[in-house]
Amino acid sequence: MMRSRYAAYSLRLADYVLATWHESTRPASLDWENDPPQKWIGLDIRRHAQTGEATAEVEFIARCRVGGRAHRLHETSRFVCEAGRWYYVDGDVDAPAA
């Protein structure tokens, strides 16, 4: 699930990102038209763990370039499985080091 969502972000497939987002936390839309173009350049899954019968966490670092500058997103995401499908619920983002 994590890798497919990363690929959807890199390809700007908003419909897929929203379809894999749990309805309890899913935004109505993604306003990507106003965002500067991002070139996603890597995903490093640091840790994944089953946290319950139908819940899991994934810690990852995703790297991208925006306007030639490198950025990284370090997040621990929470997922829930319903009817055999995994959905992103929410996540805790680590602030970048100063």
Side-chain angles (χ1 to χ4, degrees):
M1 169 57 57
M2 188 65 238
R3 292 185 192 284
S4 69
R5 284 179 56 84
Y6 170 82
Y9 270 96
S10 68
L11 296 171
R12 298 178 74 90
L13 301 176
D15 289 344
Y16 182 84
V17 171
L18 291 171
T20 58
W21 205 316
H22 194 264
E23 65 183 343
S24 67
T25 57
R26 179 176 49 227
S29 65
L30 299 174
D31 188 23
W32 287 348
E33 295 80 32
N34 297 324
D35 290 346
Q38 300 169 336
K39 179 177 179 174
W40 291 94
I41 55 176
L43 174 66
D44 179 20
I45 296 180
R46 295 287 177 97
R47 179 183 64 81
H48 58 88
Q50 193 85 20
T51 57
E53 187 174 310
T55 58
E57 286 186 350
V58 177
E59 178 187 0
F60 69 92
I61 295 175
R63 292 178 176 79
C64 70
R65 291 198 180 276
V66 178
R69 295 191 62 201
H71 297 269
R72 71 181 207 132
L73 170 66
H74 183 188
E75 180 175 323
T76 300
S77 299
R78 285 174 286 281
F79 292 86
V80 63
C81 186
E82 293 181 351
R85 292 191 59 193
W86 287 95
Y87 295 94
Y88 171 81
V89 176
D90 61 13
D92 297 321
V93 177
D94 287 348

